[in-house]
Amino acid sequence: FAGQVALVSGGGTGLGLAVAGLFARLGGKLAICGRNQSKLDAALPFFERYGTEVMTHAMTIRDDEEVEGLFDAVYDRFDKLDVLVNGK
């Protein structure tokens, strides 16, 4: 997974955090999203210990425009997306 980009929804807590952590350990770059920015921010130290590049994006998947904004942000940051995991 080294060099691949994974987007994990719900990546700030629970199962999403665990899945995103595995991608980080394997050398992947991460985009994590969720509804609560403070939970996403609190997860950053967990990923930083693996030296991975990670971005956070607060949003709800129930809003089409916010979903489009998320994908735009991921492509602006990483220029690609290899893996999508819907953690919630």
Coordinates of all heavy atoms in Angstrom, one line a residue:
F1 N 0.8 -1.2 0.0 CA 0.0 0.0 0.0 C 0.8 1.3 0.0 O 0.3 2.4 0.0 CB -0.9 0.0 1.2 CG -2.0 -1.0 1.1 CD1 -2.0 -2.2 1.8 CD2 -3.1 -0.8 0.3 CE1 -3.0 -3.1 1.7 CE2 -4.1 -1.7 0.1 CZ -4.1 -2.9 0.8
A2 N 2.1 1.1 0.1 CA 3.0 2.3 0.1 C 2.7 3.2 -1.1 O 2.6 2.7 -2.3 CB 4.5 1.9 0.0
G3 N 2.5 4.5 -0.9 CA 2.2 5.4 -1.9 C 0.7 5.5 -2.4 O 0.4 6.4 -3.1
Q4 N -0.1 4.5 -2.0 CA -1.5 4.6 -2.3 C -2.2 5.5 -1.4 O -1.8 5.8 -0.3 CB -2.1 3.2 -2.3 CG -1.6 2.3 -3.3 CD -2.4 1.0 -3.4 OE1 -3.4 0.8 -2.7 NE2 -2.0 0.1 -4.4
V5 N -3.4 6.0 -1.9 CA -4.2 7.0 -1.1 C -5.5 6.3 -0.7 O -6.2 5.8 -1.6 CB -4.5 8.2 -1.9 CG1 -5.4 9.2 -1.1 CG2 -3.2 8.9 -2.3
A6 N -5.8 6.3 0.6 CA -7.0 5.7 1.1 C -7.9 6.8 1.7 O -7.4 7.6 2.5 CB -6.7 4.6 2.1
L7 N -9.2 6.8 1.4 CA -10.1 7.6 2.0 C -11.0 6.8 2.9 O -11.6 5.8 2.4 CB -11.0 8.3 0.9 CG -12.3 9.0 1.4 CD1 -12.0 10.1 2.4 CD2 -13.0 9.6 0.2
V8 N -11.1 7.1 4.2 CA -11.8 6.3 5.1 C -12.9 7.2 5.8 O -12.5 8.2 6.5 CB -10.9 5.7 6.2 CG1 -11.8 4.8 7.2 CG2 -9.9 4.8 5.5
S9 N -14.1 7.0 5.5 CA -15.2 7.7 6.2 C -15.3 7.2 7.7 O -15.1 6.0 7.9 CB -16.5 7.7 5.5 OG -17.1 6.4 5.5
G10 N -15.6 8.0 8.6 CA -15.6 7.6 10.0 C -14.2 7.3 10.5 O -14.1 6.6 11.5
G11 N -13.2 7.9 9.9 CA -11.8 7.5 10.2 C -11.3 8.1 11.5 O -10.1 7.9 11.8
G12 N -12.1 8.9 12.2 CA -11.6 9.5 13.4 C -11.8 8.7 14.7 O -11.3 8.9 15.7
T13 N -12.7 7.7 14.6 CA -13.0 6.8 15.7 C -13.3 5.4 15.3 O -13.6 5.1 14.1 CB -14.3 7.4 16.5 OG1 -15.4 7.4 15.6 CG2 -14.1 8.8 17.0
G14 N -13.3 4.5 16.3 CA -13.8 3.2 16.1 C -13.2 2.4 15.0 O -12.0 2.4 14.8
L15 N -14.0 1.6 14.3 CA -13.6 0.8 13.2 C -12.9 1.6 12.1 O -11.9 1.1 11.5 CB -14.7 0.0 12.7 CG -14.4 -1.1 11.6 CD1 -13.4 -2.1 12.1 CD2 -15.7 -1.8 11.1
G16 N -13.4 2.7 11.8 CA -12.8 3.6 10.7 C -11.4 4.0 11.1 O -10.5 3.9 10.3
L17 N -11.2 4.3 12.4 CA -9.8 4.6 12.9 C -8.9 3.4 12.8 O -7.7 3.6 12.3 CB -9.9 5.1 14.3 CG -8.6 5.5 15.0 CD1 -8.0 6.7 14.4 CD2 -8.9 5.7 16.5
A18 N -9.4 2.3 13.1 CA -8.6 1.1 13.1 C -8.2 0.7 11.6 O -7.0 0.4 11.3 CB -9.3 -0.1 13.7
V19 N -9.1 0.8 10.7 CA -8.8 0.5 9.3 C -7.8 1.5 8.7 O -6.9 1.2 8.1 CB -10.1 0.5 8.5 CG1 -9.8 0.5 7.0 CG2 -11.0 -0.7 8.9
A20 N -8.1 2.8 9.0 CA -7.2 3.8 8.5 C -5.8 3.6 9.1 O -4.7 3.8 8.4 CB -7.7 5.2 8.9
G21 N -5.7 3.2 10.4 CA -4.4 2.9 11.0 C -3.6 1.8 10.3 O -2.4 1.9 10.2
L22 N -4.3 0.8 9.8 CA -3.7 -0.3 9.1 C -3.1 0.3 7.8 O -2.0 -0.1 7.4 CB -4.6 -1.4 8.8 CG -5.0 -2.2 10.0 CD1 -6.1 -3.2 9.7 CD2 -3.8 -2.9 10.6
F23 N -3.8 1.1 7.1 CA -3.3 1.7 5.9 C -2.0 2.5 6.2 O -1.0 2.5 5.4 CB -4.3 2.6 5.1 CG -5.3 1.8 4.4 CD1 -6.6 1.7 4.8 CD2 -4.9 1.1 3.2 CE1 -7.6 0.9 4.1 CE2 -5.9 0.3 2.5 CZ -7.2 0.3 2.9
A24 N -2.1 3.3 7.3 CA -0.9 4.1 7.7 C 0.3 3.2 8.0 O 1.4 3.5 7.5 CB -1.3 5.0 8.9
R25 N 0.1 2.2 8.7 CA 1.2 1.3 9.0 C 1.8 0.7 7.8 O 3.0 0.3 7.8 CB 0.7 0.1 9.9 CG 0.4 0.6 11.4 CD 0.0 -0.6 12.2 NE 1.0 -1.6 12.3 CZ 0.9 -2.8 12.7 NH1 -0.4 -3.2 13.1 NH2 1.8 -3.6 12.8
L26 N 1.0 0.5 6.7 CA 1.5 -0.1 5.5 C 2.0 0.9 4.5 O 2.4 0.6 3.4 CB 0.4 -0.9 4.8 CG -0.1 -2.1 5.6 CD1 -1.4 -2.7 5.0 CD2 1.0 -3.2 5.7
G27 N 2.1 2.2 5.0 CA 2.7 3.2 4.1 C 1.8 4.0 3.2 O 2.3 4.8 2.4
G28 N 0.5 3.8 3.4 CA -0.4 4.6 2.6 C -0.6 6.0 3.1 O -0.3 6.3 4.2
K29 N -1.1 6.8 2.2 CA -1.5 8.2 2.5 C -3.0 8.2 2.8 O -3.7 7.4 2.2 CB -1.2 9.1 1.4 CG 0.3 9.2 1.0 CD 0.5 10.1 -0.2 CE 2.0 10.1 -0.6 NZ 2.2 10.9 -1.7
L30 N -3.4 9.0 3.7 CA -4.8 9.0 4.2 C -5.6 10.2 4.1 O -5.0 11.3 4.3 CB -4.8 8.6 5.7 CG -4.3 7.3 6.1 CD1 -4.2 7.2 7.7 CD2 -5.2 6.2 5.6
A31 N -6.8 10.1 3.8 CA -7.8 11.1 3.9 C -8.9 10.5 4.8 O -9.4 9.4 4.5 CB -8.4 11.5 2.6
I32 N -9.2 11.1 6.0 CA -10.2 10.7 6.8 C -11.3 11.7 6.9 O -11.0 12.9 6.9 CB -9.7 10.3 8.2 CG1 -9.1 11.4 9.0 CG2 -8.7 9.1 8.1 CD1 -8.7 11.1 10.4
C33 N -12.5 11.3 7.0 CA -13.6 12.2 7.1 C -14.6 11.7 8.1 O -14.6 10.6 8.5 CB -14.3 12.4 5.7 SG -15.2 11.0 5.1
G34 N -15.4 12.7 8.6 CA -16.4 12.4 9.6 C -17.2 13.7 9.9 O -16.8 14.8 9.4
R35 N -18.2 13.6 10.7 CA -19.0 14.8 11.0 C -18.4 15.7 12.0 O -18.7 16.9 12.0 CB -20.4 14.3 11.5 CG -21.2 13.6 10.4 CD -22.5 13.2 10.9 NE -22.2 12.2 12.0 CZ -23.0 11.2 12.4 NH1 -24.1 11.0 11.7 NH2 -22.6 10.4 13.3
N36 N -17.5 15.2 12.8 CA -16.9 16.0 13.9 C -15.5 16.3 13.7 O -14.6 15.4 13.9 CB -17.2 15.2 15.2 CG -16.8 16.0 16.5 OD1 -15.8 16.6 16.5 ND2 -17.7 15.9 17.4
Q37 N -15.1 17.5 13.4 CA -13.7 17.9 13.2 C -12.9 17.7 14.4 O -11.7 17.2 14.3 CB -13.6 19.4 12.8 CG -12.2 19.8 12.4 CD -11.7 19.1 11.1 OE1 -12.4 19.0 10.1 NE2 -10.5 18.5 11.2
S38 N -13.4 17.9 15.6 CA -12.5 17.7 16.8 C -12.1 16.2 17.0 O -11.0 15.9 17.4 CB -13.2 18.2 18.1 OG -14.4 17.4 18.3
K39 N -13.0 15.3 16.6 CA -12.6 13.8 16.6 C -11.6 13.5 15.6 O -10.7 12.7 15.8 CB -13.9 13.0 16.5 CG -14.8 13.0 17.7 CD -16.0 12.1 17.4 CE -16.9 12.1 18.6 NZ -18.1 11.2 18.4
L40 N -11.7 14.1 14.4 CA -10.7 13.9 13.4 C -9.4 14.5 13.8 O -8.4 13.8 13.6 CB -11.2 14.6 12.1 CG -12.5 14.0 11.4 CD1 -12.9 14.9 10.3 CD2 -12.3 12.6 11.0
D41 N -9.4 15.6 14.4 CA -8.1 16.3 14.9 C -7.5 15.4 16.0 O -6.3 15.3 16.0 CB -8.4 17.7 15.4 CG -8.8 18.6 14.3 OD1 -8.5 18.3 13.1 OD2 -9.3 19.7 14.6
A42 N -8.3 14.9 16.8 CA -7.8 14.0 17.9 C -7.1 12.7 17.4 O -6.3 12.2 18.1 CB -8.9 13.7 18.9
A43 N -7.5 12.3 16.2 CA -7.0 11.1 15.7 C -5.6 11.3 15.0 O -4.8 10.4 14.8 CB -7.9 10.5 14.6
L44 N -5.3 12.5 14.7 CA -4.0 12.8 14.0 C -2.8 12.3 14.6 O -1.9 11.7 13.9 CB -3.9 14.3 13.7 CG -4.8 14.9 12.6 CD1 -4.7 16.4 12.5 CD2 -4.6 14.2 11.3
P45 N -2.6 12.4 15.9 CA -1.4 11.9 16.5 C -1.2 10.3 16.3 O -0.1 9.8 16.2 CB -1.5 12.2 18.0 CG -2.4 13.4 18.1 CD -3.4 13.2 16.9
F46 N -2.3 9.6 16.3 CA -2.3 8.2 16.1 C -1.7 7.9 14.7 O -0.9 7.0 14.6 CB -3.8 7.7 16.1 CG -3.9 6.2 15.8 CD1 -3.5 5.2 16.7 CD2 -4.4 5.8 14.6 CE1 -3.6 3.9 16.4 CE2 -4.6 4.5 14.3 CZ -4.2 3.5 15.2
F47 N -2.0 8.6 13.7 CA -1.5 8.4 12.4 C -0.1 9.0 12.2 O 0.7 8.4 11.5 CB -2.4 9.0 11.3 CG -3.8 8.5 11.3 CD1 -4.8 9.3 11.6 CD2 -4.0 7.2 11.1 CE1 -6.1 8.9 11.6 CE2 -5.3 6.7 11.1 CZ -6.4 7.5 11.4
E48 N 0.2 10.1 12.9 CA 1.5 10.7 12.7 C 2.7 9.8 13.2 O 3.8 9.9 12.7 CB 1.5 12.1 13.4 CG 0.7 13.1 12.7 CD 0.5 14.4 13.5 OE1 0.8 14.4 14.7 OE2 -0.1 15.3 12.8
R49 N 2.4 8.9 14.2 CA 3.4 8.1 14.7 C 3.9 7.1 13.6 O 5.0 6.5 13.7 CB 3.0 7.3 15.9 CG 1.9 6.3 15.7 CD 1.5 5.6 17.0 NE 0.3 4.9 16.8 CZ -0.3 4.2 17.8 NH1 0.3 4.2 19.0 NH2 -1.4 3.5 17.6
Y50 N 3.2 6.9 12.5 CA 3.6 6.1 11.4 C 4.2 6.9 10.3 O 4.7 6.3 9.3 CB 2.4 5.3 10.8 CG 1.7 4.4 11.8 CD1 0.4 4.6 12.3 CD2 2.4 3.3 12.4 CE1 -0.2 3.8 13.2 CE2 1.8 2.5 13.3 CZ 0.5 2.7 13.7 OH -0.1 1.9 14.6
G51 N 4.3 8.2 10.5 CA 4.9 9.0 9.5 C 4.2 9.2 8.2 O 4.7 9.6 7.2
T52 N 2.9 8.9 8.2 CA 2.1 9.0 7.0 C 1.5 10.4 6.8 O 1.4 11.2 7.7 CB 0.9 8.0 7.1 OG1 0.3 7.9 5.8 CG2 -0.1 8.4 8.1
E53 N 1.3 10.7 5.6 CA 0.6 12.0 5.2 C -0.9 11.8 5.4 O -1.4 10.8 4.8 CB 1.0 12.4 3.8 CG 0.4 13.7 3.4 CD 0.8 14.2 2.0 OE1 1.6 13.5 1.4 OE2 0.3 15.2 1.6
V54 N -1.5 12.7 6.1 CA -3.0 12.5 6.4 C -3.7 13.8 6.3 O -3.1 14.8 6.7 CB -3.2 11.8 7.8 CG1 -2.6 12.6 8.9 CG2 -4.7 11.5 8.0
M55 N -4.8 13.8 5.8 CA -5.7 15.0 5.7 C -7.0 14.7 6.4 O -7.5 13.5 6.4 CB -5.9 15.5 4.3 CG -6.7 14.6 3.4 SD -7.3 15.4 1.9 CE -8.8 16.3 2.5
T56 N -7.6 15.7 7.0 CA -9.0 15.5 7.6 C -10.0 16.4 6.9 O -9.6 17.4 6.3 CB -9.0 15.8 9.1 OG1 -8.7 17.2 9.3 CG2 -8.0 15.0 9.9
H57 N -11.2 15.9 6.9 CA -12.3 16.7 6.2 C -13.6 16.5 6.9 O -14.1 15.3 6.9 CB -12.4 16.3 4.8 CG -13.2 17.3 3.9 ND1 -12.6 18.3 3.2 CD2 -14.5 17.3 3.7 CE1 -13.6 18.9 2.6 NE2 -14.7 18.3 2.8
A58 N -14.1 17.5 7.6 CA -15.4 17.3 8.3 C -16.5 17.5 7.3 O -16.5 18.5 6.5 CB -15.5 18.3 9.5
M59 N -17.4 16.6 7.3 CA -18.6 16.6 6.4 C -19.6 15.5 6.8 O -19.3 14.7 7.6 CB -18.1 16.5 5.0 CG -17.2 15.3 4.7 SD -18.0 13.7 4.5 CE -18.8 13.9 2.9
T60 N -20.7 15.6 6.1 CA -21.7 14.5 6.2 C -21.9 13.9 4.9 O -22.0 14.6 3.9 CB -23.0 15.0 6.8 OG1 -23.9 13.9 6.8 CG2 -23.6 16.1 6.1
I61 N -22.0 12.6 4.9 CA -22.2 11.9 3.6 C -23.7 12.0 3.1 O -24.0 11.6 2.0 CB -21.8 10.4 3.6 CG1 -22.6 9.6 4.6 CG2 -20.3 10.2 3.9 CD1 -22.5 8.1 4.6
R62 N -24.5 12.6 3.9 CA -25.9 12.8 3.5 C -26.1 14.0 2.6 O -27.2 14.3 2.2 CB -26.8 12.9 4.8 CG -26.8 11.6 5.6 CD -27.7 11.7 6.8 NE -27.8 10.5 7.4 CZ -27.1 10.2 8.5 NH1 -26.3 11.0 9.1 NH2 -27.2 9.0 9.1
D63 N -25.1 14.8 2.4 CA -25.2 16.0 1.6 C -24.3 15.9 0.4 O -23.1 15.8 0.5 CB -24.7 17.2 2.5 CG -24.8 18.6 1.8 OD1 -24.5 18.6 0.6 OD2 -25.2 19.5 2.4
D64 N -24.9 15.8 -0.8 CA -24.2 15.6 -2.0 C -23.1 16.6 -2.3 O -22.0 16.2 -2.8 CB -25.2 15.6 -3.2 CG -26.1 14.4 -3.2 OD1 -25.9 13.4 -2.5 OD2 -27.1 14.4 -3.9
E65 N -23.4 17.9 -2.0 CA -22.4 18.9 -2.2 C -21.2 18.7 -1.3 O -20.0 18.9 -1.7 CB -23.0 20.3 -2.1 CG -24.0 20.6 -3.2 CD -24.6 22.0 -3.0 OE1 -24.1 22.8 -2.1 OE2 -25.5 22.3 -3.8
E66 N -21.4 18.3 -0.1 CA -20.3 18.0 0.8 C -19.5 16.8 0.4 O -18.2 16.8 0.5 CB -20.8 17.8 2.3 CG -21.3 19.1 2.9 CD -21.6 19.0 4.4 OE1 -21.0 18.1 5.0 OE2 -22.4 19.8 4.8
V67 N -20.1 15.8 -0.2 CA -19.4 14.7 -0.7 C -18.5 15.1 -1.9 O -17.4 14.7 -2.0 CB -20.4 13.5 -1.1 CG1 -19.6 12.4 -1.8 CG2 -21.1 13.0 0.1
E68 N -19.1 15.9 -2.8 CA -18.3 16.4 -3.9 C -17.1 17.2 -3.4 O -16.0 17.1 -4.0 CB -19.2 17.2 -4.8 CG -20.1 16.4 -5.7 CD -21.0 17.2 -6.6 OE1 -20.5 18.3 -7.0 OE2 -22.1 16.8 -6.9
G69 N -17.3 18.0 -2.4 CA -16.2 18.8 -1.8 C -15.2 18.0 -1.2 O -14.0 18.3 -1.3
L70 N -15.5 16.8 -0.6 CA -14.6 15.9 -0.1 C -13.7 15.3 -1.2 O -12.5 15.3 -1.0 CB -15.3 14.8 0.7 CG -14.4 13.6 1.1 CD1 -13.3 14.0 2.1 CD2 -15.3 12.5 1.6
F71 N -14.3 14.8 -2.2 CA -13.5 14.2 -3.3 C -12.6 15.3 -4.0 O -11.5 15.0 -4.3 CB -14.4 13.5 -4.3 CG -14.8 12.2 -3.8 CD1 -16.0 12.0 -3.1 CD2 -14.0 11.1 -4.1 CE1 -16.4 10.7 -2.7 CE2 -14.4 9.8 -3.6 CZ -15.6 9.6 -2.9
D72 N -13.1 16.5 -4.1 CA -12.3 17.6 -4.7 C -11.1 17.8 -3.8 O -10.0 18.0 -4.3 CB -13.1 18.9 -4.8 CG -14.2 18.8 -5.9 OD1 -14.1 17.9 -6.8 OD2 -15.1 19.7 -5.9
A73 N -11.3 17.9 -2.5 CA -10.2 18.1 -1.5 C -9.2 17.0 -1.6 O -8.0 17.2 -1.6 CB -10.7 18.3 -0.1
V74 N -9.6 15.7 -1.7 CA -8.7 14.6 -1.8 C -7.9 14.7 -3.1 O -6.6 14.5 -3.0 CB -9.5 13.3 -1.7 CG1 -8.5 12.1 -2.0 CG2 -10.1 13.1 -0.3
Y75 N -8.5 15.0 -4.2 CA -7.8 15.0 -5.4 C -6.9 16.3 -5.5 O -5.8 16.2 -6.1 CB -8.7 15.0 -6.6 CG -9.1 13.6 -7.0 CD1 -10.3 13.1 -6.5 CD2 -8.3 12.8 -7.7 CE1 -10.7 11.8 -6.7 CE2 -8.7 11.5 -8.0 CZ -9.9 11.0 -7.5 OH -10.2 9.7 -7.8
D76 N -7.3 17.4 -4.9 CA -6.4 18.6 -4.8 C -5.2 18.3 -4.0 O -4.1 18.7 -4.3 CB -7.2 19.7 -4.1 CG -8.2 20.4 -5.1 OD1 -8.2 20.1 -6.3 OD2 -9.0 21.2 -4.6
R77 N -5.3 17.5 -2.9 CA -4.2 17.2 -2.0 C -3.3 16.1 -2.6 O -2.1 16.2 -2.5 CB -4.7 16.8 -0.7 CG -3.7 16.3 0.4 CD -2.9 17.5 1.0 NE -2.0 17.0 2.0 CZ -2.3 17.0 3.3 NH1 -3.5 17.5 3.7 NH2 -1.4 16.6 4.2
F78 N -3.9 15.0 -3.1 CA -3.1 13.8 -3.4 C -3.1 13.5 -4.9 O -2.3 12.6 -5.3 CB -3.7 12.6 -2.7 CG -3.6 12.7 -1.2 CD1 -4.7 12.8 -0.4 CD2 -2.3 12.7 -0.5 CE1 -4.7 12.9 0.9 CE2 -2.3 12.7 0.8 CZ -3.4 12.8 1.6
D79 N -3.9 14.1 -5.7 CA -4.0 13.9 -7.2 C -4.5 12.5 -7.6 O -4.5 12.2 -8.7 CB -2.6 14.1 -7.9 CG -2.2 15.5 -7.8 OD1 -3.0 16.4 -8.0 OD2 -0.9 15.7 -7.7
K80 N -5.0 11.7 -6.6 CA -5.5 10.4 -6.9 C -6.2 9.9 -5.7 O -6.1 10.4 -4.6 CB -4.5 9.5 -7.4 CG -3.5 9.1 -6.3 CD -2.5 8.0 -6.8 CE -1.6 7.5 -5.7 NZ -0.8 6.3 -6.1
L81 N -7.0 8.8 -5.9 CA -7.6 8.0 -4.8 C -7.6 6.6 -5.2 O -8.1 6.2 -6.3 CB -9.1 8.5 -4.6 CG -9.8 7.7 -3.5 CD1 -9.2 7.9 -2.2 CD2 -11.3 8.2 -3.5
D82 N -7.0 5.7 -4.4 CA -6.8 4.3 -4.7 C -7.8 3.4 -4.0 O -8.3 2.4 -4.5 CB -5.4 3.8 -4.4 CG -4.4 4.6 -5.2 OD1 -4.4 4.5 -6.4 OD2 -3.5 5.3 -4.6
V83 N -8.2 3.8 -2.7 CA -9.0 2.9 -1.9 C -10.0 3.8 -1.2 O -9.7 4.9 -0.7 CB -8.1 2.2 -0.8 CG1 -9.0 1.4 0.1 CG2 -7.0 1.4 -1.4
L84 N -11.3 3.3 -1.2 CA -12.4 4.0 -0.5 C -13.0 3.0 0.5 O -13.4 1.9 0.1 CB -13.4 4.5 -1.5 CG -14.7 5.1 -0.9 CD1 -14.4 6.3 0.0 CD2 -15.7 5.4 -2.0
V85 N -13.0 3.4 1.8 CA -13.6 2.6 2.8 C -14.7 3.4 3.5 O -14.4 4.5 4.0 CB -12.6 2.1 3.8 CG1 -13.3 1.3 4.9 CG2 -11.5 1.3 3.2
N86 N -15.9 2.9 3.5 CA -17.0 3.6 4.2 C -17.1 2.9 5.5 O -17.7 1.9 5.7 CB -18.3 3.4 3.4 CG -19.5 4.2 4.0 OD1 -19.2 5.0 4.9 ND2 -20.7 4.0 3.6
G87 N -16.5 3.6 6.5 CA -16.4 3.1 7.9 C -17.7 3.2 8.7 O -17.8 2.7 9.8
K88 N -18.7 3.9 8.2 CA -19.9 4.1 9.0 C -21.1 3.9 8.1 O -21.1 4.2 7.0 CB -19.9 5.5 9.7 CG -18.9 5.6 10.8 CD -19.4 6.4 11.9 CE -18.4 6.3 13.0 NZ -18.8 7.0 14.1

